[in-house]
């Protein structure tokens, strides 16, 4: 601005000449009035010019959200391109499309953990009792979790009793922390949690998805499957809950995630790297392997490799072969896992309930029509769990360099004859027919578990450990 020019414009030569001439009093009053009025006009003009200059000067950059929220009435509004502003008419279609994609960030509610009590380190959370609790359990509802598969939706598949959902595990020396899904997601923010193993770990993976997804808005969660890896994504927390199919942990001829119904199962107990490449960089790894070992007393061990087309094998006693696999797995963990980043868990054996005589029910048929856990056993409960491989798992995990949290689900799960999918499930991808459901001898599944149900408790153990070590 040039104030001297503006002043000359408002004081014409005629007014100055009048002042110099003196004139009469009447003219003098007129001259004063003209001067005052001119000064007033000059001040208004200067004020408007300065305000306009200030308004147009880019002292600070508007945020993208402020740009987006403008009403768009301007003929040529301004947008930020890189580090400077440009008229919208000068922006490319690509730039304008990028601007349209700007969304308000989700407002994430923080979970209050003031009433969450962490069990003390010396408390054995696996030593306890099943307590009926229809107030806090189930932790979610079957019909409110869209990600459950037909294999585990027992109520939807015709089961009439639901008390199996209402049992809460109560440790004798302490209590498990109150489950808060949003609190768990806060601990998983920016992290990956992966279950690795067989269909029982997949059972537990589905449970974990249902436990956390209830607090995630629609459109902010997704499930994708790619070969052996299934990934549940929680967008607002940049977190994933994953499952990787590896029923023997090491390579086997049963590694196809869909076509694995093979009676003649063969393993390569020292070959793990193909699978292991998919486990690197994960923050929480939960391993298991058991049920696929139980169809024969001896395990077939390949001579050579599948890639070389080898077909000959040796048959080895189950505990010996299991030990070879566990040592291969332990070596891989010790060599590839940074314990400062990754927490490693190993889940013990999930039991079967095949013979009702094991729990003193001579009139029962497998686990069919069982509606309550096992109580008041006068002798030690034996339901066929192979304690030899259990001991191998305990010994190997305790001898590793990388700390491994051994999740001892076996004994507490042996009490839950009521929690299996039984005849309320699928066989070869199809729901059992009424005729098949009436034939539990041949069709009852006493291996897998209904959801909501027992695997939710397994995940409560993981939840407790993650909270206490975060």
């Amino acid at each position: 601005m040039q104030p001297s020019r503006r002043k000359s414009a408002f004081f014409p030569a005629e007014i100055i000449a009048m002042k110099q001439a003196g004139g009469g009093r009447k003219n003098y009053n007129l001259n004063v009035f003209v001067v005052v009025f001119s000064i007033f006009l000059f001040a208004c003009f200067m004020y408007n010019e300065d305000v306009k200059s200030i308004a147009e000067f880019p002292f600070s950059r508007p945020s993208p959200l402020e740009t987006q929220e403008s009403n768009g009435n301007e003929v040529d509004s301004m947008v930020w391109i890189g580090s400077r502003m440009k008229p919208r008419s000068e922006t490319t279609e690509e730039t304008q499309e990028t601007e349209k994609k700007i969304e308000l960030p989700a407002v994430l509610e923080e979970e209050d953990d003031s009433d969450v009590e962490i069990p003390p380190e010396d408390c054995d959370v696996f030593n306890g009792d099943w307590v009926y609790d229809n107030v806090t359990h189930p932790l979610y509802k079957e019909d409110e979790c869209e990600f459950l598969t037909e294999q585990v939706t027992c109520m939807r598949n015709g089961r009439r009793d639901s008390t199996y959902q209402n049992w809460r595990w109560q440790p004798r020396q302490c209590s498990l922390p109150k489950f808060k899904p949003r609190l768990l997601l806060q601990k998983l923010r920016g992290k990956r949690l992966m279950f690795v193993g067989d269909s029982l770990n997949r059972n537990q993976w589905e449970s974990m998805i249902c436990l956390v997804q209830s607090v995630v808005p629609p459109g902010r969660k997704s499930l994708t499957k790619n070969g052996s890896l299934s990934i549940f994504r929680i967008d607002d927390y940049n977190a994933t809950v994953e499952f990787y199919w590896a029923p023997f942990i090491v390579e086997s001829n049963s590694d196809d995630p869909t076509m694995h119904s093979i009676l003649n199962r063969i393993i390569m107990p020292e070959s793990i790297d193909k699978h292991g490449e998919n486990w690197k960089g994960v923050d929480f790894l939960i391993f298991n392997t058991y049920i696929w070992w139980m169809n024969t007393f001896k395990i077939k061990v390949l001579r050579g490799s599948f890639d070389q087309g080898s077909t000959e094998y040796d048959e080895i006693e189950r505990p010996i072969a299991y030990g070879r696999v566990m040592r291969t797995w332990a070596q891989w963990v010790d060599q590839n896992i940074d314990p400062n980043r990754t927490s490693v868990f190993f889940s013990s054996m999930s039991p079967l309930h095949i013979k009702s005589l094991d729990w003193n029910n001579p009139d029962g048929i497998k686990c069919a029509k069982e509606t309550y856990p096992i109580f008041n056993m006068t002798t030690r409960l034996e339901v066929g769990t192979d304690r030899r491989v259990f001991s191998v798992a305990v010994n190997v995990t305790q001898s590793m360099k990388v700390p491994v949290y051994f999740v001892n689900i076996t004994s507490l799960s042996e009490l839950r004859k009521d929690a299996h999918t039984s005849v309320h499930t699928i066989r070869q991808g199809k729901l059992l027919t009424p005729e098949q459901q009436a034939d539990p001898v041949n069709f009852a599944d006493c291996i897998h578990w209904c959801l909501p149900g027992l695997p939710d408790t397994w995940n409560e153990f993981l939840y407790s450990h993650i909270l206490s070590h975060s």
Side-chain angles (χ1 to χ4, degrees):
M1 294 182 294
Q2 295 177 333
S4 59
R5 287 186 181 177
R6 293 192 182 104
K7 285 185 178 180
S8 63
F10 280 94
F11 297 97
E14 292 83 355
I15 294 176
I16 297 175
M18 290 174 66
K19 289 181 65 177
Q20 292 175 344
R25 184 175 183 86
K26 188 173 181 179
N27 289 337
Y28 173 78
N29 291 337
L30 178 62
N31 291 341
V32 171
F33 173 78
V34 172
V35 170
V36 171
F37 181 73
S38 300
I39 293 174
F40 174 76
L41 290 178
F42 169 75
C44 291
F45 179 81
M46 288 294 294
Y47 176 80
N48 289 336
E49 283 293 300
D50 288 344
V51 169
K52 183 179 178 182
S53 299
I54 292 173
E56 291 180 348
F57 190 83
F59 285 104
S60 61
R61 176 186 305 187
S63 69
L65 291 178
E66 291 172 339
T67 303
Q68 184 187 10
E69 290 171 354
S70 63
N71 58 25
N73 290 332
E74 296 82 5
V75 175
D76 196 5
S77 59
M78 306 295 285
V79 295
W80 277 97
I81 307 299
S83 59
R84 65 193 187 92
M85 293 184 70
K86 293 180 66 176
R88 182 176 297 275
S89 60
E90 294 181 21
T91 63
T92 63
E93 292 182 2
E94 179 180 351
T95 303
Q96 295 181 27
E97 184 64 24
T98 301
E99 185 190 349
K100 291 179 182 178
K101 293 180 180 178
I102 298 174
E103 297 180 357
L104 288 170
V107 178
L108 301 180
E109 179 182 345
E110 294 295 315
E111 186 73 84
D112 179 17
D113 61 355
S114 59
D115 60 341
V116 176
E117 294 187 13
I118 306 298
E121 286 287 337
D122 59 352
C123 178
D124 181 4
V125 295
F126 309 112
N127 180 22
D129 303 283
W130 287 106
V131 177
Y132 186 76
D133 180 358
N134 63 355
V135 176
T136 66
H137 285 60
L139 296 171
Y140 57 90
K141 295 181 180 180
E142 177 187 295
D143 58 0
E144 293 177 354
C145 184
E146 61 187 285
F147 301 99
L148 289 176
T149 60
E150 279 189 314
Q151 183 182 31
V152 299
T153 51
C154 298
M155 298 297 292
R156 188 185 306 161
N157 298 341
R159 182 164 180 169
R160 296 181 180 179
D161 69 292
S162 62
T163 53
Y164 67 92
Q165 300 181 358
N166 303 123
W167 295 96
R168 172 176 56 83
W169 181 250
Q170 178 59 57
R172 290 175 184 158
Q173 300 173 338
C174 59
S175 294
L176 293 172
K178 179 181 180 181
F179 185 81
K180 293 189 173 185
R182 190 171 282 109
L183 180 58
L184 177 57
L185 285 175
Q186 288 169 199
K187 303 301 181 183
L188 297 180
R189 189 189 304 276
K191 299 183 184 298
R192 298 173 62 193
L193 184 148
M194 180 188 290
F195 294 90
V196 178
D198 56 30
S199 54
L200 275 308
N201 244 16
R202 184 176 63 209
N203 210 169
Q204 188 176 355
W205 168 68
E206 288 191 44
S207 161
M208 182 63 84
I209 290 176
C210 292
L211 286 169
V212 300
Q213 69 88 32
S214 61
V215 296
V216 182
R220 308 300 298 169
K221 52 193 172 184
S222 62
L223 177 60
T224 58
K225 297 182 179 182
N226 183 16
S228 297
L229 185 62
S230 300
I231 303 175
F232 178 72
R233 300 181 188 277
I234 307 103
D235 295 342
D236 295 332
Y237 291 86
N238 188 30
T240 60
V241 178
E242 308 175 33
F243 170 70
Y244 184 87
W245 173 260
F248 291 98
I249 294 183
V250 296
E251 282 189 64
S252 75
N253 65 345
S254 304
D255 289 343
D256 189 295
T258 55
M259 305 293 292
H260 49 246
S261 297
I262 300 171
L263 294 176
N264 197 30
R265 298 169 182 173
I266 305 173
I267 68 171
M268 294 175 59
E270 280 73 46
S271 182
I272 197 172
D273 289 340
K274 280 187 177 180
H275 292 322
E277 285 299 314
N278 297 277
W279 311 335
K280 293 179 179 179
V282 176
D283 300 278
F284 301 96
L285 282 166
I286 304 98
F287 294 91
N288 93 311
T289 179
Y290 175 67
I291 195 61
W292 281 64
W293 296 79
M294 297 303 293
N295 67 326
T296 57
F297 290 103
K298 291 188 176 183
I299 304 299
K300 297 177 176 62
V301 175
L302 188 68
R303 298 176 187 170
S305 71
F306 295 116
D307 292 340
Q308 296 172 352
S310 303
T311 58
E312 294 184 356
Y313 55 82
D314 298 313
E315 294 196 30
I316 299 177
E317 293 292 331
R318 184 192 298 153
I320 296 175
Y322 195 89
R324 287 174 61 178
V325 168
M326 286 297 295
R327 285 188 291 273
T328 298
W329 167 79
Q331 184 179 34
W332 185 91
V333 170
D334 283 342
Q335 293 177 351
N336 293 276
I337 294 300
D338 177 5
N340 294 319
R341 172 182 177 173
T342 302
S343 298
V344 182
F345 303 79
F346 190 91
S347 294
S348 68
M349 295 71 220
S350 173
L352 295 73
H353 293 88
I354 302 298
K355 297 184 294 183
S356 62
L357 281 174
D358 292 339
W359 53 90
N360 301 327
N361 182 10
D363 299 323
I365 303 175
K366 293 185 174 181
C367 63
K369 299 182 180 180
E370 297 288 350
T371 57
Y372 291 93
I374 298 173
F375 293 113
N376 304 321
M377 290 292 293
T378 56
T379 59
R380 179 178 175 177
L381 179 63
E382 294 288 350
V383 294
T385 305
D386 193 333
R387 295 286 171 175
R388 299 172 301 170
V389 300
F390 181 94
S391 298
V392 169
V394 170
N395 292 334
V396 171
T397 54
Q398 289 180 347
S399 64
M400 295 170 61
K401 180 178 66 176
V402 172
V404 175
Y405 184 62
F406 189 77
V407 190
N408 188 0
I409 64 172
T410 302
S411 294
L412 63 92
S413 300
E414 287 178 333
L415 300 172
R416 296 304 307 275
K417 60 181 173 61
D418 60 310
H420 289 288
T421 55
S422 185
V423 294
H424 309 290
T425 185
I426 60 175
R427 175 71 68 88
Q428 296 180 342
K430 296 181 180 180
L431 282 174
L432 296 183
T433 65
E435 293 75 21
Q436 291 172 328
Q437 288 185 334
D439 183 14
V441 171
N442 293 308
F443 291 98
D445 179 351
C446 300
I447 298 174
H448 301 97
W449 311 92
C450 301
L451 290 178
L454 175 61
D456 302 328
T457 299
W458 304 348
N459 281 322
E460 287 188 86
F461 295 136
L462 300 184
Y463 169 74
S464 177
H465 187 80
I466 291 173
L467 291 190
S468 63
H469 289 77
S470 62

